[in-house]
Amino acid sequence: MALIVQKYGGTSVGSAERIKNVAKRVAKTRAEGHDVVVVVSAMSGETNRLVALAHEMQDFPDPRELDVVLSTGEQVTIGLLAMALKNIGVDAKSYTGWQVPVRTDNAHTKARIEDIDDKVMRADLKEGKVVIVAGFQGVNANGDISTLGRGGSDTSAVALAAALKADECQIYTDVDGVYTTDPRVVPEARRLDTVTFEEMLELASLGSKVLQIRSVEFAGKYKVRLRVLSSLQEGGSGTLITFEEDNNMERAAVSGIAFDKNQARVNVRGVPDKPGVAYQILGAVANANIEVDMIIQNVGAEGTTDFSFTVPRGEYKPVLELLNGLKESIGAAEIDGDDTVCKVSIVGLGMRSHVGVASKMFRTLAEEGINIQMISTSEIKVSVLIDEKYMELATRVLHKAFDLG
Amino acid sequence: MALIVQKYGGTSVGSAERIKNVAKRVAKTRAEGHDVVVVVSAMSGETNRLVALAHEMQDFPDPRELDVVLSTGEQVTIGLLAMALKNIGVDAKSYTGWQVPVRTDNAHTKARIEDIDDKVMRADLKEGKVVIVAGFQGVNANGDISTLGRGGSDTSAVALAAALKADECQIYTDVDGVYTTDPRVVPEARRLDTVTFEEMLELASLGSKVLQIRSVEFAGKYKVRLRVLSSLQEGGSGTLITFEEDNNMERAAVSGIAFDKNQARVNVRGVPDKPGVAYQILGAVANANIEVDMIIQNVGAEGTTDFSFTVPRGEYKPVLELLNGLKESIGAAEIDGDDTVCKVSIVGLGMRSHVGVASKMFRTLAEEGINIQMISTSEIKVSVLIDEKYMELATRVLHKAFDLG
């Protein structure tokens, strides 16, 4: 008998029928003798509906109030799933973030979990109940409702698994595991039985969309056994995320291709080339709680430098506004950007011991006439920023070039 | 400068545009120098949508979980209204029931307010903020979300006004006050400038639908100055609910006609005519937390008695099930009923000093061939239970007979 945390995303709970199917799956795990904690997202489409309503009220909805509105999506799902379970004779009890409580910091709409109290959940599990927790949400020290940002339900699930010392955290999604790349873009994409934590981290952060990056970080930090499974088909063991590097020397150099359209490039041109400028620019962006991804700095004309970085598209306009307000104090000649770009990355632990991986990537793209705007590299990945219209093409040719099919 | 509690119902916040209109009205009251606490319902249609989802999960949704689901409706509205106010430069902060907190008993889906903490609200008002509170909901001693039952937002508003010792509690609705009867049924219906607490209590409890009965009881108990106003038109002073009987001797005998379709009749036939039988039947019903309205007992055949009472239609099936389970222990010959009945009542403080009011009512109905199934009377009202198909006709002829046009 194990303690299993299962997380079901928006598509898996997207209708009354699907919620009933989730209930059946949970009941099956329970019947196998396991204790089950279920984390659910809002029904698909619900969060978008609520965001749209909020934007009808304010161009930039107040973050505290946005969290009040958005958190209702998951709250509806937990109640409905508890009813569906009770309807098939499985005792269950739902909890919102504040009822657990899942304590977070004060960064509304992108809060971080600080602490989870496992007392009430343990008491319910002991009584044989299935515990259902609303993903994506928590409560901060002021007693305000907070949300963890898009995809935050994955993080909720892993954090709960860590707090409960669960035997496994199962993420049910509309794919049956982690693939070499998105099968919707490259039909030859292959499911990986295992993927290392580091690779998964890069695949998730680069937009393979299977898991939210923070959830993978959390799993790594707290050594949570994490598995990605399909909620739409029965059986199948999905992809297990491993935390030890395997010793297979024959390992392929590249294990997957990730891509991410949620990218916008911001250019700060003609700033004085002196110490402190990068900090002046990025410090302001960080203070506004905006995540920066790729960063490059070029030499500009006559003692000036050009500074570029990428942010999520939703932050593109706020960042431009912010920097235009600082234009004079930074001493920048021009601030512009482009929000029709995307990032494509090759990822693989084997890359460390294989030379020439990056150059092969660049050659492959050049042969297709795809211009590279920015490059960023780490030990196990190489990312390029390109025009978004080439995203599918670049992914397909790289998948082929690295024999991933 | 006064402290005003304003309550806006589902129709008043039924769309993004309408929420913005509510924000303007609140801003106007604030600009007049008043402190404002706003109580809102769910956007119209939302509660029904959520109830339907719950019923797809379970025929009789688990009450605790139903409250988890239903309470999200108001939670969305408070967040949206706070945004709309901030968007026009009015500082505001939203609170769910548990955040205030509004403490209730444990009767899920029909909880009663036990206590309201005014600390956080007072602090916000002191800072010049508009405080927005979700109606219809609270939190019980277990930390579970509770709801007050349909129309509970009125009760929330009056209870908040009492807790804050507000100068006035304004209920904004889609009518501009209390009428002699529903203008949709009788076009000649007239708005009353004032109505006494007792009359209002009867009018509300008998289904005039303007205010929820518990809110009027609350207002009477805590001497809250209560006013009903239109949220759809500007100006107008609505109807003020007064708590002192005026001394106008010329007062009309009948001040209004109320009707209520939410009635079902239950008959317990052929029970032994001995002490304790009424208690045995109604005690079980009360223990199930089901409200009983009219009650009559007739003499039956050979030492038996027939016992009839009415309940809200939603409780009709549960009551029949409950009583069938007790049939043997009660010793009843038959248990049946009718859920196609309605109650029509004449209400008026002046009735006390005018004889013949009841007989005039019965004669008027008889002249139209309307059969009376049950009669119940109090000092200021006479109610009859009739076939629901005669409801509009009965209301119209009584309105005319008592010169209310």
Side-chain angles (χ1 to χ4, degrees):
Chain A
M1 177 168 137
L3 170 54
I4 295 173
V5 174
Q6 298 187 332
K7 181 257 168 178
Y8 295 91
T11 314
S12 310
V13 295
S15 67
E17 216 43 59
R18 287 190 172 180
I19 292 174
K20 288 183 181 177
N21 281 335
V22 167
K24 277 183 213 153
R25 196 179 287 266
V26 171
K28 202 181 150 207
T29 311
R30 187 82 196 89
E32 287 162 1
H34 303 303
D35 282 339
V36 188
V37 173
V38 187
V39 178
V40 285
S41 301
M43 295 172 76
S44 55
E46 187 60 9
T47 304
N48 288 338
R49 182 181 78 87
L50 295 168
V51 167
L53 271 173
H55 280 274
E56 284 195 72
M57 297 297 128
Q58 267 187 307
D59 286 340
F60 299 102
D62 180 81
R64 178 190 183 275
E65 302 300 338
L66 187 58
D67 280 353
V68 169
V69 172
L70 293 187
S71 61
T72 61
E74 286 72 21
Q75 189 172 325
V76 169
T77 318
I78 56 170
L80 294 179
L81 180 58
M83 293 174 199
L85 279 165
K86 282 175 174 255
N87 197 46
I88 54 174
V90 178
D91 200 9
K93 199 168 168 188
S94 77
Y95 290 93
T96 60
W98 63 268
Q99 284 179 319
V100 171
V102 175
R103 295 191 192 90
T104 74
D105 64 15
N106 293 334
H108 281 294
T109 77
K110 40 193 151 186
R112 286 182 175 265
I113 295 174
E114 290 182 338
D115 176 59
I116 293 178
D117 194 328
D118 67 348
K119 214 173 60 196
V120 290
M121 292 186 289
R122 288 224 179 271
D124 284 344
L125 291 172
K126 208 167 180 181
E127 288 176 18
K129 287 192 177 78
V130 168
V131 173
I132 303 165
V133 180
F136 175 70
Q137 60 182 250
V139 61
N140 68 24
N142 304 327
D144 294 330
I145 296 170
S146 54
T147 69
L148 311 181
R150 283 274 164 141
S153 292
D154 289 346
T155 307
S156 300
V158 174
L160 282 163
L164 290 161
K165 296 179 182 59
D167 296 285
E168 190 163 297
C169 180
Q170 302 176 339
I171 308 285
Y172 286 86
T173 169
D174 52 357
V175 298
D176 63 348
V178 179
Y179 275 70
T180 50
T181 194
D182 190 331
R184 283 168 297 190
V185 171
V186 183
E188 295 79 23
R190 205 165 33 79
R191 183 173 61 77
L192 298 161
D193 287 330
T194 67
V195 66
T196 68
F197 166 62
E198 290 89 345
E199 287 171 333
M200 185 66 219
L201 200 58
E202 297 293 0
L203 287 165
S205 72
L206 295 170
S208 70
K209 287 173 198 153
V210 175
L211 286 174
Q212 204 215 15
I213 175 167
R214 255 194 284 163
S215 70
V216 183
E217 286 173 350
F218 240 100
K221 191 169 169 192
Y222 295 100
K223 296 274 177 282
V224 171
R225 190 180 162 93
L226 189 61
R227 189 183 290 278
V228 177
L229 294 143
S230 166
S231 67
L232 305 177
Q233 61 195 55
E234 277 297 325
S237 57
T239 298
L240 181 70
I241 288 90
T242 62
F243 294 94
E244 284 101 45
E245 196 176 327
D246 61 23
N247 293 317
N248 186 353
M249 296 301 286
E250 296 305 309
R251 193 178 177 83
V254 173
S255 56
I257 316 281
F259 51 84
D260 179 11
K261 249 189 179 153
N262 186 21
Q263 290 273 336
R265 174 183 178 155
V266 178
N267 308 310
V268 185
R269 299 182 195 273
V271 286
D273 191 7
K274 62 180 185 191
V277 161
Y279 171 72
Q280 218 182 337
I281 297 169
L282 290 181
V285 175
N287 283 340
N289 232 331
I290 293 167
E291 274 180 52
V292 169
D293 184 2
M294 304 173 89
I295 302 170
I296 54 170
Q297 189 172 348
N298 295 336
V299 177
E302 291 169 12
T304 67
T305 184
D306 294 342
F307 195 87
S308 297
F309 58 93
T310 66
V311 294
R313 282 195 191 170
E315 307 283 14
Y316 182 58
K317 278 187 189 170
V319 163
L320 285 189
E321 268 182 35
L322 176 75
L323 292 179
N324 275 314
L326 298 172
K327 197 171 167 184
E328 276 184 39
S329 68
I330 300 170
E334 205 185 334
I335 290 160
D336 59 15
D338 183 357
D339 62 351
T340 61
V341 293
C342 74
K343 187 169 67 167
V344 174
S345 311
I346 55 175
V347 176
L349 213 63
M351 208 180 277
R352 295 178 190 172
S353 51
H354 288 73
V355 289
V357 167
S359 64
K360 185 175 181 178
M361 179 189 200
F362 304 152
R363 192 182 69 228
T364 305
L365 296 177
E367 281 169 5
E368 299 293 332
I370 299 170
N371 187 41
I372 297 170
Q373 297 180 23
M374 286 171 95
I375 296 173
S376 121
T377 61
S378 79
E379 258 195 280
I380 65 161
K381 76 151 188 226
V382 182
S383 301
V384 295
L385 196 76
I386 59 175
D387 189 321
E388 65 170 12
K389 72 181 174 195
Y390 294 125
M391 193 180 81
E392 287 81 3
L393 174 63
T395 304
R396 274 199 306 273
V397 296
L398 290 171
H399 199 265
K400 188 142 194 271
F402 288 102
D403 294 323
L404 292 171
Chain B
M1 177 168 138
L3 170 54
I4 295 173
V5 174
Q6 298 187 332
K7 181 260 169 177
Y8 295 91
T11 315
S12 309
V13 295
S15 67
E17 216 43 58
R18 287 189 173 181
I19 292 173
K20 287 182 180 179
N21 282 336
V22 167
K24 278 183 210 153
R25 196 179 286 266
V26 171
K28 202 180 148 208
T29 311
R30 187 83 197 87
E32 287 164 1
H34 302 304
D35 282 339
V36 188
V37 173
V38 187
V39 177
V40 286
S41 299
M43 295 171 77
S44 55
E46 187 60 8
T47 303
N48 288 338
R49 183 181 77 87
L50 294 169
V51 166
L53 270 172
H55 280 273
E56 284 195 72
M57 298 297 127
Q58 267 186 307
D59 285 339
F60 297 102
D62 181 82
R64 178 189 183 273
E65 303 299 339
L66 187 58
D67 280 352
V68 169
V69 171
L70 293 188
S71 61
T72 62
E74 287 72 21
Q75 188 171 327
V76 169
T77 318
I78 57 170
L80 294 178
L81 181 57
M83 292 174 199
L85 279 164
K86 282 175 174 253
N87 197 46
I88 55 173
V90 179
D91 200 9
K93 200 167 168 187
S94 76
Y95 290 93
T96 59
W98 62 268
Q99 285 178 318
V100 170
V102 175
R103 294 192 193 89
T104 74
D105 64 16
N106 293 335
H108 281 294
T109 77
K110 41 193 153 188
R112 287 183 174 263
I113 295 174
E114 290 182 337
D115 175 59
I116 292 179
D117 194 327
D118 67 348
K119 215 173 59 193
V120 291
M121 292 186 290
R122 288 224 180 270
D124 283 344
L125 292 172
K126 209 168 180 179
E127 289 177 18
K129 288 191 176 81
V130 169
V131 172
I132 303 164
V133 179
F136 175 69
Q137 61 182 250
V139 61
N140 68 24
N142 304 328
D144 294 330
I145 296 170
S146 54
T147 69
L148 311 181
R150 285 274 163 139
S153 291
D154 289 346
T155 306
S156 300
V158 175
L160 282 163
L164 290 161
K165 296 179 182 56
D167 297 284
E168 190 164 298
C169 180
Q170 302 176 339
I171 308 285
Y172 286 86
T173 170
D174 53 357
V175 299
D176 63 349
V178 178
Y179 274 70
T180 50
T181 194
D182 190 331
R184 284 168 297 191
V185 172
V186 183
E188 295 78 24
R190 207 165 29 82
R191 182 173 62 77
L192 298 161
D193 288 329
T194 65
V195 66
T196 68
F197 166 64
E198 290 89 346
E199 286 170 334
M200 184 67 220
L201 201 58
E202 297 293 1
L203 286 165
S205 72
L206 295 170
S208 71
K209 286 175 199 152
V210 175
L211 285 174
Q212 206 215 12
I213 175 166
R214 255 196 282 164
S215 71
V216 183
E217 286 173 350
F218 241 98
K221 190 168 170 191
Y222 295 101
K223 296 276 177 277
V224 172
R225 188 180 162 93
L226 189 61
R227 189 183 292 278
V228 177
L229 294 144
S230 166
S231 67
L232 305 177
Q233 60 196 58
E234 277 299 324
S237 55
T239 298
L240 181 71
I241 288 87
T242 61
F243 293 97
E244 284 101 46
E245 196 177 325
D246 60 23
N247 292 319
N248 185 353
M249 295 301 288
E250 296 305 309
R251 195 180 175 84
V254 173
S255 56
I257 316 282
F259 51 83
D260 180 11
K261 246 187 179 155
N262 186 21
Q263 291 273 338
R265 173 182 177 156
V266 178
N267 307 310
V268 184
R269 298 182 194 275
V271 287
D273 192 8
K274 61 180 188 192
V277 161
Y279 171 73
Q280 216 182 340
I281 296 169
L282 290 181
V285 174
N287 284 341
N289 232 331
I290 293 167
E291 273 178 51
V292 170
D293 184 1
M294 303 172 88
I295 302 169
I296 55 171
Q297 189 174 347
N298 294 336
V299 177
E302 291 171 12
T304 67
T305 183
D306 294 342
F307 196 87
S308 298
F309 57 93
T310 66
V311 294
R313 282 196 190 170
E315 309 282 15
Y316 181 59
K317 277 186 190 171
V319 163
L320 285 189
E321 270 182 35
L322 176 75
L323 292 179
N324 274 314
L326 298 171
K327 198 171 166 182
E328 276 185 41
S329 69
I330 300 171
E334 204 185 336
I335 289 161
D336 59 15
D338 183 356
D339 62 352
T340 60
V341 294
C342 74
K343 186 169 64 166
V344 175
S345 311
I346 56 174
V347 175
L349 214 63
M351 207 180 278
R352 296 178 189 171
S353 50
H354 288 73
V355 289
V357 165
S359 65
K360 185 174 181 180
M361 180 189 197
F362 304 151
R363 193 183 65 227
T364 305
L365 295 176
E367 280 168 5
E368 299 293 332
I370 299 170
N371 187 42
I372 297 171
Q373 299 181 20
M374 286 171 97
I375 297 173
S376 122
T377 60
S378 80
E379 257 194 279
I380 65 161
K381 76 153 188 225
V382 182
S383 301
V384 295
L385 196 76
I386 59 175
D387 190 320
E388 65 171 10
K389 72 182 174 195
Y390 294 126
M391 192 180 81
E392 287 82 3
L393 174 64
T395 304
R396 272 199 307 272
V397 296
L398 290 170
H399 199 264
K400 188 142 190 272
F402 288 101
D403 293 322
L404 292 171

